[in-house]
Amino acid sequence: MSSTSHSALPQALASEGLPAHVEVRPLRHPGPTNTEPKAVRIAIITLALAFLALCIALPVVSVFYEAFKRGWLAYVTALAEPDALSAIRLTLLVAAISVIANVTFGLIAAWAIAKFEFPGRSLLITLIDLPFSVSPVVAGLVYVLLFGSQGLFAAYLQAWDIKIIFALPGIVLATLFVTFPFVARELIPLMQEQGTAEEEAAVSLGASGLSTFFRVTLPNVKWALLYGVLLCNARAMGEFGAVSVVSGHVRGLTNTMPLHIEILYNEYQFVASFAVASLLALLALVTLVAKTLLEARLAEDAS
Amino acid sequence: MSIDILNVTKRFKTFTALDAVNLHIPGGQLVALLGPSGSGKTTLLRIIAGLDWPDSGEVRFDGQDALARSVRERNVGFVFQHYALFRHMNVFENVAFGLRVRKGADKLPEAAIREKVNQLLSLVQIDWLADRRPNQLSGGQRQRVALARALAISPRILLLDEPFGALDAKVRKELRRWLRNLHEELPVTSVLVTHDQEEALELADTVVVMGKGRIEQVGSPQEVYDAPATAFVHDFIGESLSLPARVSGGRLHVGAGETALDPQGVEDGPVRILARPHDVDFAEPDAAPVRGRVLAVRTFGPTRRADIVLGDGDIVEAAVPPGIHPAVGAQIGLVPRRYRVFPTA
């Protein structure tokens, strides 16, 4: 015993020093194992690629093809048209409000669900998922039934001269409904996995509740939050069904981009219609790239 | 700073984690709360820290009510079981955290914070890791960061929850000695939770043995090992050879026969005779109070152990004294030299 105890100190320090250089990361993608014959593999891959090309790539390409069919000038003219500009502005405004509101509520809901036990917790988890399972048209209809001219609150709204349906508030409400799960759903599993130990450490070191939130909780989920914002934004800008029901389709006033595209298309203004559609397609592509970049970062939150 | 626990009770729904616990911890000591999982030791530690609140009872620091103060006001250093390092901060910022969140008059200038953090990092011997993230550190290094972070707020009380639980045996032994030295250097009262008796006995001034939400014994490592107050402590600390027996008419009976063993004042009823394996001698079957048949003999290093099945089917493990070579299947007698008799609860 005595001979080992002399050497134990430097040895222990050295053995501790060694693994420091090795960054421990879970293997996310174990290499594929090839057990199928080559012909089968090629057939399967071809089939998958053909399906993707036909159903995903072709439509995207055709959107841009149709938009630029008459050249740059027609494209720019279609976008510079006042009704188109108004639709773009409205879409951006609605998306901005939805993102801000969903970040706020999503964070609060996720925080409450992940870090505390309270009665009604599982009900809240179920409710957050509701927009995923309800048709957006139904969601829009609910708001019409509540706030429309024949609706439940019609008398109060008229008395105070508040317009919700066929106006901005209705569009925002409908968009909020369909986009609510995106932020909360991203945060809840991550926050649950991270637990409350770091928050406890923070308060034991003298941090206030707010300080703990901004210095510990929020930075720990920042990539997941950004990911949720990205998905929420994409959905908010692209939402058709729910917004269609509550918007009233007033040109230059309550038409968002998807609604505007439909109207133009129905009026046989294909170039104009596809020009606006190309913007949404572009948004989708940007979202896709950002999503891919973010996914690499998400692993950082979890580690 | 001394800590007093007065009549503290804590329940989680129907489970009683702490049952009217009383404990005095003198200032400057290193105390180990030792017990199996579910014994309430971690709950007690969290109540001292202010991370949990008792249903009833009092906690006093130097005689002053601690329950009136929240965690952040208690200025208690807490080292968490899995370290709970801030994963998005490097080692330096982790240690600096407690200084950075200070407000108003307590707030230190940046230069003072840097100096103090660097001092702490040298104290725990990891100043060369200041820029690393927690996920780039080994378990032992994380442990040191956690300790430095807790010490940054200059606590008078240091609480450690299973501090070496997640480390491999060699690092654990080394860190244990190092923590003991650190405790000597600092003006703190340290309370350590562990389920590892070797850790508690080697490290602590006072060992508090807990079981099922109650304190079974408080004493020096020597006392709890040599003079266990209850059968629970005897079983839990060190190895025990347990013989079911019975006291009737002031005599101790094992199996069918009466023995000459001392019932140690225990009243009539079923009892257990508990002895350390090395305090039990082997003898001729006819001359011994306890008889059995050797089932197996195992050798690890210098010690040999024999599994012996007693007359009523119970199997005990005894240490085989040097020079004796019991044959498997042979009848053998056991003579407890030092033993304790406890009534069976």
Side-chain angles (χ1 to χ4, degrees), chain B residues 83-95:
Chain B
Y83 318 129
L85 299 179
F86 304 126
R87 66 190 76 205
H88 67 276
M89 294 179 202
N90 64 22
V91 167
F92 185 94
E93 288 305 321
N94 260 283
V95 177

Side-chain angles (χ1 to χ4, degrees), chain A residues 156-179:
Chain A
Y156 303 101
L157 294 174
Q158 258 162 16
W160 293 93
D161 197 21
I162 299 169
K163 231 173 137 26
I164 290 182
I165 300 303
F166 306 151
L168 180 67
I171 298 173
V172 169
L173 279 177
T175 310
L176 273 181
F177 182 88
V178 294
T179 55

Side-chain angles (χ1 to χ4, degrees), chain B:
Chain B
M1 185 175 270
S2 70
I3 306 169
D4 283 288
I5 312 292
L6 303 170
N7 236 351
V8 162
T9 297
K10 172 77 180 174
R11 283 189 194 85
F12 296 105
K13 288 178 183 159
T14 56
F15 175 71
T16 304
L18 292 173
D19 190 1
V21 166
N22 285 287
L23 179 65
H24 171 72
I25 297 173
Q29 273 209 349
L30 201 168
V31 172
L33 304 179
L34 174 65
S37 57
S39 59
K41 55 194 192 306
T42 296
T43 305
L44 183 56
L45 194 76
R46 290 175 60 86
I47 285 175
I48 297 173
L51 293 168
D52 260 324
W53 298 83
D55 297 329
S56 61
E58 284 178 60
V59 177
R60 298 184 168 275
F61 293 168
D62 270 350
Q64 300 205 319
D65 184 16
L67 294 180
R69 287 184 277 158
S70 72
V71 210
R72 48 182 300 236
E73 295 159 339
R74 283 192 205 182
N75 204 43
V76 160
F78 200 103
V79 176
F80 290 81
Q81 185 172 7
H82 299 290
Y83 318 129
L85 299 179
F86 304 126
R87 66 190 76 205
H88 67 276
M89 294 179 202
N90 64 22
V91 167
F92 185 94
E93 288 305 321
N94 260 283
V95 177
F97 187 90
L99 303 171
R100 293 217 191 279
V101 295
R102 284 189 187 171
K103 294 207 172 72
D106 298 335
K107 201 165 171 59
L108 293 174
E110 180 65 22
I113 291 178
R114 300 214 143 254
E115 195 190 327
K116 174 135 194 197
V117 172
N118 285 327
Q119 268 175 14
L120 282 163
L121 289 177
S122 335
L123 179 72
V124 299
Q125 302 159 2
I126 47 166
D127 36 352
W128 52 291
L129 293 172
D131 297 328
R132 297 277 179 85
R133 294 284 182 112
N135 65 0
Q136 299 169 312
L137 303 177
S138 71
Q141 291 164 345
R142 287 179 204 195
Q143 173 64 51
R144 287 164 191 259
V145 178
L147 201 62
R149 183 179 68 177
L151 293 174
I153 57 172
S154 308
R156 304 280 307 280
I157 293 173
L158 184 61
L159 306 175
L160 306 108
D161 188 5
E162 298 275 8
F164 311 118
L167 302 173
D168 58 66
K170 195 173 162 189
V171 178
R172 194 185 309 176
K173 256 201 147 135
E174 179 50 43
L175 277 181
R176 209 188 278 168
R177 206 168 306 154
W178 170 77
L179 179 70
R180 178 74 233 186
N181 292 339
L182 199 66
H183 171 83
E184 301 295 338
E185 282 176 38
L186 300 167
V188 289
T189 307
S190 303
V191 183
L192 156 92
V193 156
T194 181
H195 65 272
D196 180 345
Q197 44 166 307
E198 193 186 322
E199 196 168 291
L201 297 181
E202 187 179 314
L203 199 55
D205 301 310
T206 302
V207 177
V208 178
V209 186
M210 296 185 68
K212 292 186 182 155
R214 290 177 164 279
I215 289 177
E216 296 277 341
Q217 187 173 6
V218 180
S220 70
Q222 185 110 43
E223 279 164 3
V224 295
Y225 186 84
D226 289 341
T230 63
F232 176 89
V233 178
H234 201 301
D235 276 333
F236 188 71
I237 293 180
E239 287 180 279
S240 291
L241 191 155
S242 165
L243 299 168
R246 157 175 60 78
V247 177
S248 77
R251 306 296 297 246
L252 202 51
H253 297 255
V254 179
E258 191 180 300
T259 68
L261 296 174
D262 176 13
Q264 299 176 353
V266 177
E267 288 178 16
D268 284 9
V271 297
R272 285 203 299 153
I273 304 170
L274 289 169
R276 302 295 177 203
H278 54 82
D279 285 337
V280 177
D281 289 335
F282 282 34
E284 288 301 317
D286 297 337
V290 182
R291 278 170 293 278
R293 187 165 50 83
V294 178
L295 269 188
V297 181
R298 282 164 290 129
T299 307
F300 0 53
T303 63
R304 282 178 303 153
R305 293 291 157 84
D307 285 339
I308 293 164
V309 58
L310 304 179
D312 45 9
D314 286 300
I315 296 174
V316 297
E317 192 186 78
V320 182
I324 293 183
H325 299 279
V328 172
Q331 286 289 325
I332 200 146
L334 297 174
V335 185
R337 221 178 331 113
R338 286 182 55 192
Y339 55 93
R340 301 283 308 263
V341 179
F342 294 103
T344 308

